[in-house]
């Protein structure tokens, strides 16, 4: 069988016989004109991201150890907590990660809610 194969704008006529290929002739092909790129269009301005709630000064922030989705918030603002109390359950990579209080105190601020997405180091809760 004979095939025409184009490589780098050159046409090669190739004959193939049971596992063997023989080059018969080469034909130059006129290159097609390069496509002309349209003038770039300015993308619409992205809306500004919502401002993150301010963290209470002087409190101990409890950051997200990795990005994920909040499955459960186990505390309320004003609640007293002991070191090691469960604060938040964070789902990341289909695993539930329990976030515990690093110190004793009172929950000064909860910056997340069930279903919200967080990034690494986003503050979840502040303990005063």
């Amino acid at each position: 069988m004979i095939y025409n194969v184009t490589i780098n704008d050159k046409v090669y006529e190739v004959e193939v016989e049971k596992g063997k290929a023989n080059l018969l002739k080469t034909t130059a092909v006129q290159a097609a004109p390069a496509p002309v790129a349209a003038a770039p269009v300015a993308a619409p301005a992205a809306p500004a991201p919502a401002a993150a709630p301010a963290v209470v000064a002087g409190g101990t922030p409890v950051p997200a150890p990795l990005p994920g989705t909040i499955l459960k918030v186990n505390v309320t603002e004003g609640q007293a907590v002991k070191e090691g109390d469960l604060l938040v359950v964070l789902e990341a990579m289909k695993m539930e990660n329990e976030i515990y209080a690093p110190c004793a105190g009172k929950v000064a601020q909860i910056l997340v809610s069930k279903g919200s997405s967080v990034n690494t180091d986003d503050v979840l809760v502040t303990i005063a």
Side-chain angles (χ1 to χ4, degrees):
M1 297 193 82
I2 297 178
Y3 296 96
N4 287 328
V5 179
T6 304
I7 301 173
N8 293 333
D9 294 328
K10 269 191 161 177
V11 176
Y12 298 91
E13 192 172 282
V14 180
E15 180 180 28
V16 179
E17 292 179 19
K18 292 191 180 187
K20 289 198 275 183
N22 298 318
L23 178 62
L24 300 178
K25 65 181 179 176
T26 302
T27 309
V29 174
Q30 186 173 355
V36 177
V41 177
V55 176
V56 174
T60 302
V62 180
L66 63 167
T69 303
I70 302 299
L71 289 182
K72 185 176 184 183
V73 177
N74 246 31
V75 292
T76 58
E77 286 187 12
Q79 178 180 339
V81 293
K82 297 179 287 193
E83 183 177 344
D85 282 354
L86 178 63
L87 301 174
V88 176
V89 178
L90 171 70
E91 180 186 39
M93 297 180 288
K94 299 195 181 214
M95 293 180 59
E96 291 183 11
N97 299 276
E98 296 176 334
I99 312 301
Y100 297 100
C103 61
K106 187 182 272 189
V107 177
Q109 195 174 26
I110 299 172
L111 301 165
V112 294
S113 59
K114 181 179 178 179
S116 60
S117 294
V118 295
N119 292 314
T120 303
D121 295 329
D122 283 357
V123 177
L124 308 174
V125 176
T126 303
I127 299 173

